[in-house]
Amino acid sequence: MINESALLESQTLRDGVLERTDVLDRVKALSLLPDGMHVTTAMVAAYFEVAVKTLESVVEDHRKELASNGYQVLTGTPLALFKRASGIQSRSKALALFSRRAVLNVAMLLRDSEVARQVRVYLLDMEYLARTQPVENPASTDTASLDDRIDQRITHILGKTVLPMFNALIETSGEHRKELIALRAGVQRIERRLHQHHTRLQRLEGVRDDRPTVGVMAAMGAMNGRTFEHHIAKLLRRDGCTNVTVQGGHGDRGIDVSGLTAGGRRLVVQCKRFAPYLNITSPDVQKFVGAAKVLHTAEVALFVATCPFTSEALSIAAETGITVVHRGLLEQWSAGEPLEVLE
């Protein structure tokens, strides 16, 4: 198995795993800007728990590589348009932005960050499992599982062989450079779609003992929607709630779990198991307010999500008495920290 330090030295190895941006959230939750796609230099530094100057030094040394993976510096009209679209309030005349892919790229370049080291180790663990997974007899294998393994093998070949080949040809070709770049983009789209399909199959299969996970959030990321609702019900019972019932499904009247708090107050819960790069928006919260307060006359209403909430959604929740359990708080709650509102 390749040592994680090899990623620090080899751009070819780094290029081969850059599609695995999901690893970032399996190691530690990555907060995004309101556009749901980018992070600033300060946010990346906070994620990796390093000084901003340390990160800026990495960018200076590897700017071309990072730029090819989504790093950019906005100025002038593009900056003004981005601020207007994302709601960012800043007087700076330039704004450096990292895509999730660029953040993963940074993880493979930062030497003095424990978080970056964990990302590299997890990346190589996943690659090792993909390479060493045994091939079973198709006659005795479920079709979905067989398709899943085929998808992983094709994705592995595309990432390790085809894309590096295109990269090398583009570097040395002048006459056909544009055509090669277009072909490479097509291959990358196929690779992303296969990875998305693989992720959907994992969710449909639910929690498996042989699926590698890191931390409680990774375990929840492997759950399907129904399993996640039962997990939240289990946490409620752990914290002293009674009459806890999972309601999710057709005819649930806008709630997923109901019960009574330890003090006997009427409790309802909305559960959203979204990808960590998505957001709960104000319409989501407004809809839950109506269900919780009007239809169910709840005294305690929890909106639990595996992703962040927009600032407007948080504001509406605060004004209407909805308790927001965002990704960070959910991780603490699942790890054993009780919710005070349930007392």
PDB file of all heavy atoms in Angstrom, residues 181-203:
ATOM      1  N   ILE A 181      -8.438  18.407 -24.464  1.00  0.00           N
ATOM      2  CA  ILE A 181      -9.052  18.951 -23.248  1.00  0.00           C
ATOM      3  C   ILE A 181     -10.538  18.630 -23.214  1.00  0.00           C
ATOM      4  O   ILE A 181     -11.091  18.263 -22.172  1.00  0.00           O
ATOM      5  CB  ILE A 181      -8.816  20.477 -23.160  1.00  0.00           C
ATOM      6  CG1 ILE A 181      -7.334  20.768 -22.903  1.00  0.00           C
ATOM      7  CG2 ILE A 181      -9.676  21.093 -22.066  1.00  0.00           C
ATOM      8  CD1 ILE A 181      -6.977  22.233 -22.919  1.00  0.00           C
ATOM      9  N   ALA A 182     -11.200  18.742 -24.369  1.00  0.00           N
ATOM     10  CA  ALA A 182     -12.636  18.420 -24.438  1.00  0.00           C
ATOM     11  C   ALA A 182     -12.877  16.940 -24.147  1.00  0.00           C
ATOM     12  O   ALA A 182     -13.818  16.577 -23.426  1.00  0.00           O
ATOM     13  CB  ALA A 182     -13.185  18.792 -25.815  1.00  0.00           C
ATOM     14  N   LEU A 183     -12.024  16.072 -24.699  1.00  0.00           N
ATOM     15  CA  LEU A 183     -12.157  14.636 -24.436  1.00  0.00           C
ATOM     16  C   LEU A 183     -11.918  14.325 -22.960  1.00  0.00           C
ATOM     17  O   LEU A 183     -12.624  13.514 -22.360  1.00  0.00           O
ATOM     18  CB  LEU A 183     -11.169  13.857 -25.310  1.00  0.00           C
ATOM     19  CG  LEU A 183     -11.519  13.752 -26.795  1.00  0.00           C
ATOM     20  CD1 LEU A 183     -10.351  13.164 -27.566  1.00  0.00           C
ATOM     21  CD2 LEU A 183     -12.769  12.907 -26.990  1.00  0.00           C
ATOM     22  N   ARG A 184     -10.899  14.982 -22.383  1.00  0.00           N
ATOM     23  CA  ARG A 184     -10.636  14.768 -20.953  1.00  0.00           C
ATOM     24  C   ARG A 184     -11.832  15.187 -20.113  1.00  0.00           C
ATOM     25  O   ARG A 184     -12.208  14.498 -19.147  1.00  0.00           O
ATOM     26  CB  ARG A 184      -9.397  15.543 -20.525  1.00  0.00           C
ATOM     27  CG  ARG A 184      -9.049  15.339 -19.043  1.00  0.00           C
ATOM     28  CD  ARG A 184      -7.812  16.127 -18.641  1.00  0.00           C
ATOM     29  NE  ARG A 184      -8.043  17.570 -18.724  1.00  0.00           N
ATOM     30  CZ  ARG A 184      -7.137  18.485 -18.404  1.00  0.00           C
ATOM     31  NH1 ARG A 184      -5.923  18.106 -18.012  1.00  0.00           N
ATOM     32  NH2 ARG A 184      -7.413  19.772 -18.512  1.00  0.00           N
ATOM     33  N   ALA A 185     -12.466  16.306 -20.455  1.00  0.00           N
ATOM     34  CA  ALA A 185     -13.647  16.765 -19.715  1.00  0.00           C
ATOM     35  C   ALA A 185     -14.768  15.734 -19.792  1.00  0.00           C
ATOM     36  O   ALA A 185     -15.482  15.489 -18.811  1.00  0.00           O
ATOM     37  CB  ALA A 185     -14.112  18.112 -20.261  1.00  0.00           C
ATOM     38  N   GLY A 186     -14.923  15.114 -20.969  1.00  0.00           N
ATOM     39  CA  GLY A 186     -15.954  14.078 -21.113  1.00  0.00           C
ATOM     40  C   GLY A 186     -15.678  12.881 -20.235  1.00  0.00           C
ATOM     41  O   GLY A 186     -16.583  12.333 -19.604  1.00  0.00           O
ATOM     42  N   VAL A 187     -14.425  12.462 -20.173  1.00  0.00           N
ATOM     43  CA  VAL A 187     -14.044  11.332 -19.315  1.00  0.00           C
ATOM     44  C   VAL A 187     -14.282  11.679 -17.848  1.00  0.00           C
ATOM     45  O   VAL A 187     -14.763  10.848 -17.061  1.00  0.00           O
ATOM     46  CB  VAL A 187     -12.573  10.945 -19.549  1.00  0.00           C
ATOM     47  CG1 VAL A 187     -12.124   9.899 -18.533  1.00  0.00           C
ATOM     48  CG2 VAL A 187     -12.390  10.409 -20.957  1.00  0.00           C
ATOM     49  N   GLN A 188     -13.953  12.911 -17.464  1.00  0.00           N
ATOM     50  CA  GLN A 188     -14.167  13.327 -16.073  1.00  0.00           C
ATOM     51  C   GLN A 188     -15.643  13.319 -15.715  1.00  0.00           C
ATOM     52  O   GLN A 188     -16.009  12.960 -14.596  1.00  0.00           O
ATOM     53  CB  GLN A 188     -13.568  14.715 -15.859  1.00  0.00           C
ATOM     54  CG  GLN A 188     -12.040  14.714 -15.843  1.00  0.00           C
ATOM     55  CD  GLN A 188     -11.457  16.112 -15.785  1.00  0.00           C
ATOM     56  OE1 GLN A 188     -11.978  17.048 -16.383  1.00  0.00           O
ATOM     57  NE2 GLN A 188     -10.356  16.260 -15.057  1.00  0.00           N
ATOM     58  N   ARG A 189     -16.507  13.717 -16.666  1.00  0.00           N
ATOM     59  CA  ARG A 189     -17.948  13.678 -16.405  1.00  0.00           C
ATOM     60  C   ARG A 189     -18.421  12.248 -16.183  1.00  0.00           C
ATOM     61  O   ARG A 189     -19.229  11.978 -15.292  1.00  0.00           O
ATOM     62  CB  ARG A 189     -18.713  14.313 -17.574  1.00  0.00           C
ATOM     63  CG  ARG A 189     -18.665  15.832 -17.592  1.00  0.00           C
ATOM     64  CD  ARG A 189     -19.715  16.407 -18.534  1.00  0.00           C
ATOM     65  NE  ARG A 189     -19.469  16.026 -19.913  1.00  0.00           N
ATOM     66  CZ  ARG A 189     -18.701  16.726 -20.747  1.00  0.00           C
ATOM     67  NH1 ARG A 189     -18.099  17.816 -20.331  1.00  0.00           N
ATOM     68  NH2 ARG A 189     -18.538  16.314 -21.995  1.00  0.00           N
ATOM     69  N   ILE A 190     -17.917  11.330 -16.992  1.00  0.00           N
ATOM     70  CA  ILE A 190     -18.287   9.923 -16.828  1.00  0.00           C
ATOM     71  C   ILE A 190     -17.827   9.416 -15.469  1.00  0.00           C
ATOM     72  O   ILE A 190     -18.568   8.714 -14.762  1.00  0.00           O
ATOM     73  CB  ILE A 190     -17.666   9.071 -17.953  1.00  0.00           C
ATOM     74  CG1 ILE A 190     -18.289   9.448 -19.303  1.00  0.00           C
ATOM     75  CG2 ILE A 190     -17.856   7.580 -17.674  1.00  0.00           C
ATOM     76  CD1 ILE A 190     -17.605   8.815 -20.498  1.00  0.00           C
ATOM     77  N   GLU A 191     -16.600   9.771 -15.083  1.00  0.00           N
ATOM     78  CA  GLU A 191     -16.060   9.342 -13.798  1.00  0.00           C
ATOM     79  C   GLU A 191     -16.921   9.867 -12.655  1.00  0.00           C
ATOM     80  O   GLU A 191     -17.228   9.138 -11.703  1.00  0.00           O
ATOM     81  CB  GLU A 191     -14.624   9.836 -13.653  1.00  0.00           C
ATOM     82  CG  GLU A 191     -13.918   9.325 -12.400  1.00  0.00           C
ATOM     83  CD  GLU A 191     -12.522   9.900 -12.268  1.00  0.00           C
ATOM     84  OE1 GLU A 191     -12.248  10.923 -12.907  1.00  0.00           O
ATOM     85  OE2 GLU A 191     -11.726   9.336 -11.521  1.00  0.00           O
ATOM     86  N   ARG A 192     -17.336  11.152 -12.731  1.00  0.00           N
ATOM     87  CA  ARG A 192     -18.176  11.730 -11.676  1.00  0.00           C
ATOM     88  C   ARG A 192     -19.523  11.020 -11.593  1.00  0.00           C
ATOM     89  O   ARG A 192     -20.027  10.751 -10.504  1.00  0.00           O
ATOM     90  CB  ARG A 192     -18.383  13.225 -11.929  1.00  0.00           C
ATOM     91  CG  ARG A 192     -17.175  14.085 -11.570  1.00  0.00           C
ATOM     92  CD  ARG A 192     -17.558  15.549 -11.504  1.00  0.00           C
ATOM     93  NE  ARG A 192     -17.993  16.074 -12.791  1.00  0.00           N
ATOM     94  CZ  ARG A 192     -17.172  16.605 -13.688  1.00  0.00           C
ATOM     95  NH1 ARG A 192     -15.886  16.710 -13.439  1.00  0.00           N
ATOM     96  NH2 ARG A 192     -17.636  17.074 -14.832  1.00  0.00           N
ATOM     97  N   ARG A 193     -20.111  10.727 -12.757  1.00  0.00           N
ATOM     98  CA  ARG A 193     -21.420  10.053 -12.755  1.00  0.00           C
ATOM     99  C   ARG A 193     -21.329   8.658 -12.161  1.00  0.00           C
ATOM    100  O   ARG A 193     -22.234   8.215 -11.437  1.00  0.00           O
ATOM    101  CB  ARG A 193     -21.964   9.996 -14.187  1.00  0.00           C
ATOM    102  CG  ARG A 193     -22.421  11.350 -14.704  1.00  0.00           C
ATOM    103  CD  ARG A 193     -22.813  11.284 -16.169  1.00  0.00           C
ATOM    104  NE  ARG A 193     -23.188  12.596 -16.677  1.00  0.00           N
ATOM    105  CZ  ARG A 193     -23.438  12.858 -17.948  1.00  0.00           C
ATOM    106  NH1 ARG A 193     -23.347  11.880 -18.846  1.00  0.00           N
ATOM    107  NH2 ARG A 193     -23.768  14.073 -18.336  1.00  0.00           N
ATOM    108  N   LEU A 194     -20.262   7.947 -12.473  1.00  0.00           N
ATOM    109  CA  LEU A 194     -20.075   6.617 -11.889  1.00  0.00           C
ATOM    110  C   LEU A 194     -19.909   6.714 -10.375  1.00  0.00           C
ATOM    111  O   LEU A 194     -20.444   5.893  -9.631  1.00  0.00           O
ATOM    112  CB  LEU A 194     -18.850   5.942 -12.510  1.00  0.00           C
ATOM    113  CG  LEU A 194     -19.026   5.417 -13.937  1.00  0.00           C
ATOM    114  CD1 LEU A 194     -17.677   4.995 -14.503  1.00  0.00           C
ATOM    115  CD2 LEU A 194     -19.996   4.248 -13.965  1.00  0.00           C
ATOM    116  N   HIS A 195     -19.151   7.728  -9.930  1.00  0.00           N
ATOM    117  CA  HIS A 195     -18.973   7.906  -8.491  1.00  0.00           C
ATOM    118  C   HIS A 195     -20.305   8.235  -7.823  1.00  0.00           C
ATOM    119  O   HIS A 195     -20.616   7.716  -6.745  1.00  0.00           O
ATOM    120  CB  HIS A 195     -17.962   9.019  -8.230  1.00  0.00           C
ATOM    121  CG  HIS A 195     -17.770   9.308  -6.766  1.00  0.00           C
ATOM    122  ND1 HIS A 195     -17.263   8.377  -5.885  1.00  0.00           N
ATOM    123  CD2 HIS A 195     -18.038  10.418  -6.031  1.00  0.00           C
ATOM    124  CE1 HIS A 195     -17.222   8.900  -4.676  1.00  0.00           C
ATOM    125  NE2 HIS A 195     -17.694  10.134  -4.742  1.00  0.00           N
ATOM    126  N   GLN A 196     -21.137   9.087  -8.463  1.00  0.00           N
ATOM    127  CA  GLN A 196     -22.445   9.416  -7.905  1.00  0.00           C
ATOM    128  C   GLN A 196     -23.334   8.177  -7.846  1.00  0.00           C
ATOM    129  O   GLN A 196     -24.066   7.976  -6.873  1.00  0.00           O
ATOM    130  CB  GLN A 196     -23.098  10.509  -8.754  1.00  0.00           C
ATOM    131  CG  GLN A 196     -22.417  11.868  -8.636  1.00  0.00           C
ATOM    132  CD  GLN A 196     -22.869  12.843  -9.710  1.00  0.00           C
ATOM    133  OE1 GLN A 196     -23.656  12.492 -10.602  1.00  0.00           O
ATOM    134  NE2 GLN A 196     -22.381  14.073  -9.624  1.00  0.00           N
ATOM    135  N   HIS A 197     -23.274   7.355  -8.891  1.00  0.00           N
ATOM    136  CA  HIS A 197     -24.057   6.128  -8.899  1.00  0.00           C
ATOM    137  C   HIS A 197     -23.617   5.193  -7.775  1.00  0.00           C
ATOM    138  O   HIS A 197     -24.447   4.590  -7.087  1.00  0.00           O
ATOM    139  CB  HIS A 197     -23.888   5.432 -10.253  1.00  0.00           C
ATOM    140  CG  HIS A 197     -24.596   4.118 -10.370  1.00  0.00           C
ATOM    141  ND1 HIS A 197     -25.962   4.002 -10.257  1.00  0.00           N
ATOM    142  CD2 HIS A 197     -24.127   2.852 -10.572  1.00  0.00           C
ATOM    143  CE1 HIS A 197     -26.309   2.728 -10.390  1.00  0.00           C
ATOM    144  NE2 HIS A 197     -25.212   2.012 -10.581  1.00  0.00           N
ATOM    145  N   HIS A 198     -22.302   5.097  -7.578  1.00  0.00           N
ATOM    146  CA  HIS A 198     -21.771   4.275  -6.494  1.00  0.00           C
ATOM    147  C   HIS A 198     -22.264   4.767  -5.144  1.00  0.00           C
ATOM    148  O   HIS A 198     -22.658   3.983  -4.273  1.00  0.00           O
ATOM    149  CB  HIS A 198     -20.244   4.308  -6.550  1.00  0.00           C
ATOM    150  CG  HIS A 198     -19.570   3.702  -5.360  1.00  0.00           C
ATOM    151  ND1 HIS A 198     -19.685   2.373  -5.034  1.00  0.00           N
ATOM    152  CD2 HIS A 198     -18.778   4.254  -4.393  1.00  0.00           C
ATOM    153  CE1 HIS A 198     -19.000   2.120  -3.933  1.00  0.00           C
ATOM    154  NE2 HIS A 198     -18.454   3.250  -3.522  1.00  0.00           N
ATOM    155  N   THR A 199     -22.296   6.095  -4.955  1.00  0.00           N
ATOM    156  CA  THR A 199     -22.769   6.675  -3.700  1.00  0.00           C
ATOM    157  C   THR A 199     -24.242   6.355  -3.471  1.00  0.00           C
ATOM    158  O   THR A 199     -24.656   6.017  -2.355  1.00  0.00           O
ATOM    159  CB  THR A 199     -22.552   8.202  -3.703  1.00  0.00           C
ATOM    160  OG1 THR A 199     -21.160   8.473  -3.893  1.00  0.00           O
ATOM    161  CG2 THR A 199     -23.006   8.824  -2.385  1.00  0.00           C
ATOM    162  N   ARG A 200     -25.051   6.476  -4.528  1.00  0.00           N
ATOM    163  CA  ARG A 200     -26.481   6.152  -4.389  1.00  0.00           C
ATOM    164  C   ARG A 200     -26.689   4.700  -4.012  1.00  0.00           C
ATOM    165  O   ARG A 200     -27.555   4.371  -3.182  1.00  0.00           O
ATOM    166  CB  ARG A 200     -27.202   6.467  -5.701  1.00  0.00           C
ATOM    167  CG  ARG A 200     -27.446   7.946  -5.929  1.00  0.00           C
ATOM    168  CD  ARG A 200     -28.459   8.167  -7.026  1.00  0.00           C
ATOM    169  NE  ARG A 200     -27.963   7.746  -8.316  1.00  0.00           N
ATOM    170  CZ  ARG A 200     -27.312   8.531  -9.164  1.00  0.00           C
ATOM    171  NH1 ARG A 200     -27.086   9.782  -8.851  1.00  0.00           N
ATOM    172  NH2 ARG A 200     -26.900   8.074 -10.333  1.00  0.00           N
ATOM    173  N   LEU A 201     -25.917   3.791  -4.600  1.00  0.00           N
ATOM    174  CA  LEU A 201     -26.038   2.376  -4.244  1.00  0.00           C
ATOM    175  C   LEU A 201     -25.685   2.149  -2.783  1.00  0.00           C
ATOM    176  O   LEU A 201     -26.343   1.370  -2.088  1.00  0.00           O
ATOM    177  CB  LEU A 201     -25.111   1.532  -5.132  1.00  0.00           C
ATOM    178  CG  LEU A 201     -25.596   1.276  -6.564  1.00  0.00           C
ATOM    179  CD1 LEU A 201     -24.547   0.507  -7.341  1.00  0.00           C
ATOM    180  CD2 LEU A 201     -26.907   0.507  -6.549  1.00  0.00           C
ATOM    181  N   GLN A 202     -24.661   2.825  -2.292  1.00  0.00           N
ATOM    182  CA  GLN A 202     -24.291   2.697  -0.890  1.00  0.00           C
ATOM    183  C   GLN A 202     -25.436   3.121   0.015  1.00  0.00           C
ATOM    184  O   GLN A 202     -25.723   2.484   1.021  1.00  0.00           O
ATOM    185  CB  GLN A 202     -23.055   3.554  -0.593  1.00  0.00           C
ATOM    186  CG  GLN A 202     -21.753   2.964  -1.105  1.00  0.00           C
ATOM    187  CD  GLN A 202     -20.559   3.799  -0.671  1.00  0.00           C
ATOM    188  OE1 GLN A 202     -20.569   5.020  -0.754  1.00  0.00           O
ATOM    189  NE2 GLN A 202     -19.523   3.146  -0.213  1.00  0.00           N
ATOM    190  N   ARG A 203     -26.093   4.223  -0.347  1.00  0.00           N
ATOM    191  CA  ARG A 203     -27.195   4.699   0.477  1.00  0.00           C
ATOM    192  C   ARG A 203     -28.353   3.729   0.468  1.00  0.00           C
ATOM    193  O   ARG A 203     -29.008   3.504   1.485  1.00  0.00           O
ATOM    194  CB  ARG A 203     -27.657   6.073  -0.030  1.00  0.00           C
ATOM    195  CG  ARG A 203     -26.635   7.178   0.234  1.00  0.00           C
ATOM    196  CD  ARG A 203     -27.051   8.475  -0.413  1.00  0.00           C
ATOM    197  NE  ARG A 203     -26.097   9.532  -0.136  1.00  0.00           N
ATOM    198  CZ  ARG A 203     -26.129  10.727  -0.680  1.00  0.00           C
ATOM    199  NH1 ARG A 203     -27.077  11.031  -1.549  1.00  0.00           N
ATOM    200  NH2 ARG A 203     -25.224  11.635  -0.370  1.00  0.00           N
TER     201      ARG A 203
END
